[in-house]
Amino acid sequence: MDNLIENKGFVFSKESLRKKFRWSEFLSEKIISGVAFLSITIIVLIFVFVFRETLPIFHHKKETVKIESVQKQEQYGGAEASGPTNASGQEQYGVTTTDTMMIENQARVEDTVVHEADEATVKSLIGKEWLPVSDRPRYGLIPLLVGTLKITLLAILFAAPIAILAALFSAAFAPPWLREIIKPAIELLAGFPSVVIGFFALMVMASFFQDIFGYDTRLNAFVGGIAMALAAIPIIYTITEDALTAVPRSYTEASLALGASRWQTALFVTLPAATPGIFAAVLLGVGRVFGETMIALMATGNAAMISANPFESVRTLAATIGAEMAEVVFGDTHYSVLFLIGSLLFIFTFGLNALAEFYVKGKLVKRFQGK
Amino acid sequence: MSKKNKIIGTLFIGTTAFSAFLIIAIILVMLIVIIIGGKDTFSWEFLTSFPKDGMMKGGIFPAIYGTALLVVIMSVAAVPFGAITAIYLTEYARETSVLAQTIRFAVRTLATVPSIIFGLFGLGFFIKFVGGGMDNIFLGGQLKWGQPNILWASLTMSLLTLPVVIVSVEEAIRTVPREMREASLALGATKWETIRRIVIPGSRSGIMTGTILAVSRGAGEVAPILFTGAAYYLATLPTSLSDQFMNLGYHIYIMATQSANVDQTLPIQFATTLVLLMLTFMLNLTAVIIRSRLRKKAK
Amino acid sequence: MKQPKIQTRELSLFYGEKMALNSISMDIPEKEVTAFIGPSGCGKSTFLRTLNRMNDLIPFVKITGEVLVDSLNIYDKQIDVVNLRKKIGMVFQKSNPFTKSIYENVAYGPKINGIRERKKLNEIVETSLKNAFIWEEVKDRLYDSAMGLSGGQQQRMCIARALAVEPEIILMDEPASALDPISTAKIEELIFELKKNYTIVIVTHNMQQAARVSDYTAFFYLGELIEFGKTRKIFTTPDNKQTEEYITGRFG
């Protein structure tokens, strides 16, 4: 036998085994952990930068108050110095010397108008009118919020039952070969870009449903809702299917052993056991619809009005950002209000995700581990 | 009683089956309608020529080019960062550590943030903060980077696709058996050597799946680029990172909602939709095939 | 007894709160084969993995006591685990070739050690494969994937891969448990050859195997070392009643 180890000296020495510092090891670990931090950083940055752009709305308000009080003082001062005269009197006193004063005065008047408008902006946020481009812009978020909720409700009412039932079919009833077809097929729907769904809704569905229901406005909440449902279905289906297949076999076997039929087991044992997961699925579906932009832009008609009629046009929060952001002046009030809408969307979907994550996960663990 | 039960059961199972098939039927109808609507216009020339006559005629080459450029730049940013995050989560972080849990939560949150928010972020952060800052520092306030362009749009898109990459790569890394890591370590390899020589080569297919899925997602998303770099019409192709670009999805949106004569350009719109759909479909299909092979291997 | 190569002193191991090894002290002789036997879950594999600090990889494991190799405590804070593992090779229960060629598998360790020269690598690969009794079978297909080898060949290739790093000790964790009798016989023959140059510790489930290949045998039960001595003595006249019951097949 060949001997590989030629110098059989004392190899197990303190020297040869002394702890080594390896630069590559140290750096790779630091870099990898640093990069991993990125996703957290991005979330934080999104928070910071989306909120940062909304600040001028609230910032302006304070400034307005301050300037107004300063102006009042000035006016008092002016009144004391020039006696019981008013602005018109000033003009009479010095026609030749008050050119600059006049300009100043005018500027001051303009100032107050702008600031009053800004104050009005903040007040108008809870108003019922969304008229950002007009002489007296109004930024009422209520119609947008109502529109978004209306679309979301419609979409989920359509998507949730279908997706959950379809998931039940593929998880509990379909033979394995059929399941192998249905699951990837529905998951492929998730790969449809939303602009494609929006296009389909705009060009095909809107006319199709108009023929059936005979409504006046071709693009409306109903069409938008169904199109959005197409985007939500794969999400709800996939998570529900996972939740259903995660129900321990022992549950269903016990039920079947007691003589319950397959559908009874699925409906009364599997489905209830998976409720937290299904709840999470619906929540994530809601999140998807709530923030969906392209479908809303293309299929809902984009008219900001408050109405309970599903066949009226609506304008959603996300679509408003998508439609108007490209045309606003960076930094003006309209711009900030659009960012405010973005912040609301972000907070809402963040909350939904957190709810789905922590509440539901906790429940599932409790249920299946009997804690 | 039992007969009644049987009827209810059949009805119930029938309803679930109906739901499943309804979804598939909708998918098929969408596919068929789009294929029929677009097939006459769809041609090699359509893919390779510029729009003509104020976009009333001609092809969509600049939109295809812009989309390709977008996903390439996006992947260059998203894939390495996503893959490294996945490596951290599987190889370095302890499953139960607060940091790992927080990162996971952040990744899932990123995956659910509406795409329009990424657009806002791109505008507020990349364009105004980074771009504007660069202009102020290097160009003395001259406007170059502080406006929408393909770089900012691609980076915005890379944030959106980051979770896609992370999830795919993580799944692939988990299919590398623990025994192989142990073998490597037992031979005196360090952790990093093991990752570099065993783990990463072993999860190559996962990195590929992740990239493909990210590209497919990035090619189809429009909301994030609405105001971070996409342009309605450009006579020339983008040549610099600070240029704007045309994009397939954006092209569909613009043509369908804002073109001068929507009906006349309808065939172009359908054909463009067909191109985008084929692109994302083929990418997704490839990813699904690679992934299912990977899953079988894992079993 | 020869000079001890490995000595453990009151070595205990805890998984969180649970004690898996209870104060084990033993001397493993140099250039002999020492077998660890015992029913599954008795801690023999865990103990083996403390000898090259593989348990470091598992979270929440706490180890007390000492493991001395050539009188050097390998759990000392100053010890470099990576270099330690180069000196103490390991062969696993399930053969675990890398999804690379046979050549790349065997050359993996030397390459890690910074050997780049092709000629030197060729030499090491050939010698290692010869020493693991597999050279003749694979010399014409060195660049084929190692996954194409049979289970027994894979395991011998894994031994060659361990030898290529030039260890002094080889730890084997049930190396033949998944193999057919012919492959097992080849591995046993190999172990017999290897002990001329290496200190070998082998965990086995198979008592006949322990009796055939080992010079010393340690019997573990419920995380404790029950009895340790010359293999012949353990298998013929064990001191402990539990050992006797296990050997004679009354439990385990």
Side-chain angles (χ1 to χ4, degrees), chain A residues 161-292:
Chain A
I162 288 193
I164 292 169
L165 286 172
L168 202 59
F169 178 69
S170 68
F173 303 127
W177 64 267
L178 191 58
R179 184 171 180 263
E180 290 293 306
I181 298 171
I182 294 175
K183 206 169 151 55
I186 297 181
E187 279 168 358
L188 268 190
L189 180 60
F192 270 64
S194 51
V195 70
V196 171
I197 298 178
F199 177 75
F200 181 76
L202 169 66
M203 294 301 170
V204 183
M205 272 166 49
S207 312
F208 176 72
F209 286 122
Q210 196 170 31
D211 288 346
I212 296 179
F213 297 104
Y215 45 70
D216 297 328
T217 333
R218 208 177 81 91
L219 297 176
N220 55 44
F222 181 75
V223 174
I226 293 202
M228 294 263 199
L230 294 182
I233 281 174
I235 296 179
I236 303 180
Y237 167 84
T238 310
I239 301 173
T240 303
E241 227 256 355
D242 286 350
L244 288 172
T245 40
V247 173
R249 258 251 189 89
S250 54
Y251 279 46
T252 50
E253 276 168 0
S255 164
L256 290 170
L258 288 171
S261 63
R262 231 151 52 102
W263 72 268
Q264 285 169 324
T265 307
L267 188 60
F268 300 121
V269 178
T270 316
L271 202 60
T275 3
I278 297 170
F279 184 60
V282 175
L283 281 186
L284 292 174
V286 169
R288 174 71 208 271
V289 173
F290 204 81
E292 176 54 52

Side-chain angles (χ1 to χ4, degrees), chain B residues 92-258:
Chain B
Y92 286 92
R94 281 191 181 176
E95 206 58 27
T96 49
S97 79
V98 177
L99 184 61
Q101 301 260 359
T102 315
I103 291 175
R104 275 174 207 287
F105 177 68
V107 171
R108 275 191 292 258
T109 304
L110 269 186
T112 53
V113 169
S115 49
I116 191 81
I117 303 296
F118 287 99
L120 287 182
F121 176 68
L123 182 59
F125 180 71
F126 288 125
I127 297 177
K128 280 193 74 182
F129 184 73
V130 181
M134 279 162 70
D135 286 346
N136 279 334
I137 294 167
F138 302 115
L139 302 168
Q142 189 195 334
L143 198 62
K144 180 174 183 197
W145 294 103
Q147 52 192 351
N149 65 33
I150 189 156
L151 177 66
W152 303 140
S154 305
L155 291 183
T156 304
M157 200 64 98
S158 72
L159 302 183
L160 181 106
T161 51
L162 194 65
V164 179
V165 180
I166 295 174
V167 170
S168 304
V169 177
E170 211 189 320
E171 191 186 0
I173 290 180
R174 291 193 191 283
T175 63
V176 176
R178 193 175 54 99
E179 289 85 8
M180 278 196 202
R181 293 185 179 83
E182 285 192 338
S184 170
L185 292 167
L187 290 168
T190 62
K191 189 167 193 159
W192 171 237
E193 282 163 345
T194 303
I195 291 170
R196 192 164 61 92
R197 290 166 184 267
I198 304 296
V199 176
I200 294 178
S203 43
R204 232 183 265 138
S205 63
I207 297 173
M208 209 158 81
T209 326
T211 312
I212 294 172
L213 287 174
V215 165
S216 154
R217 180 86 195 274
E221 280 286 348
V222 181
I225 57 168
L226 279 175
F227 35 83
T228 53
Y232 179 75
Y233 174 74
L234 294 168
T236 53
L237 297 176
T239 51
S240 142
L241 287 177
S242 60
D243 286 345
Q244 290 203 314
F245 64 103
M246 288 177 72
N247 173 281
L248 280 172
Y250 188 65
H251 196 67
I252 296 171
Y253 164 61
I254 287 292
M255 298 280 280
T257 57
Q258 284 161 40

Side-chain angles (χ1 to χ4, degrees), chain A residues 13 24 29 42 67 92 130 170 187 201 204 208 229-230 262 264 312 318 327 369:
Chain A
S13 65
S24 58
E29 178 159 359
I42 294 170
I67 290 168
Q92 286 176 338
W130 175 261
S170 68
E187 279 168 358
V204 183
F208 176 72
L230 294 182
R262 231 151 52 102
Q264 285 169 324
E312 296 269 20
E327 273 126 48
Q369 299 182 348

Side-chain angles (χ1 to χ4, degrees), chain C residues 172-190:
Chain C
M172 297 184 173
D173 191 355
E174 304 197 28
S177 68
L179 302 179
D180 60 275
I182 296 171
S183 304
T184 304
K186 279 185 181 161
I187 300 267
E188 287 177 8
E189 193 188 337
L190 174 59

Side-chain angles (χ1 to χ4, degrees), chain C residues 7-14 19 21-27 47 63-68:
Chain C
Q7 299 164 292
T8 66
R9 295 285 173 261
E10 292 173 3
L11 186 84
S12 297
L13 182 144
F14 302 83
M19 183 184 255
L21 293 174
N22 186 6
S23 189
I24 291 170
S25 301
M26 71 187 291
D27 290 359
F47 181 59
I63 291 164
T64 61
E66 289 183 336
V67 177
L68 308 171

Side-chain angles (χ1 to χ4, degrees), chain A residues 2 5 11 17 19-20 22, chain C residues 72 78 80 131 167-168:
Chain A
D2 293 328
I5 307 157
V11 207
L17 289 180
K19 200 153 214 163
K20 264 192 191 163
R22 294 178 170 82
Chain C
L72 193 69
Q78 292 297 312
D80 189 89
N131 286 353
E168 294 176 32

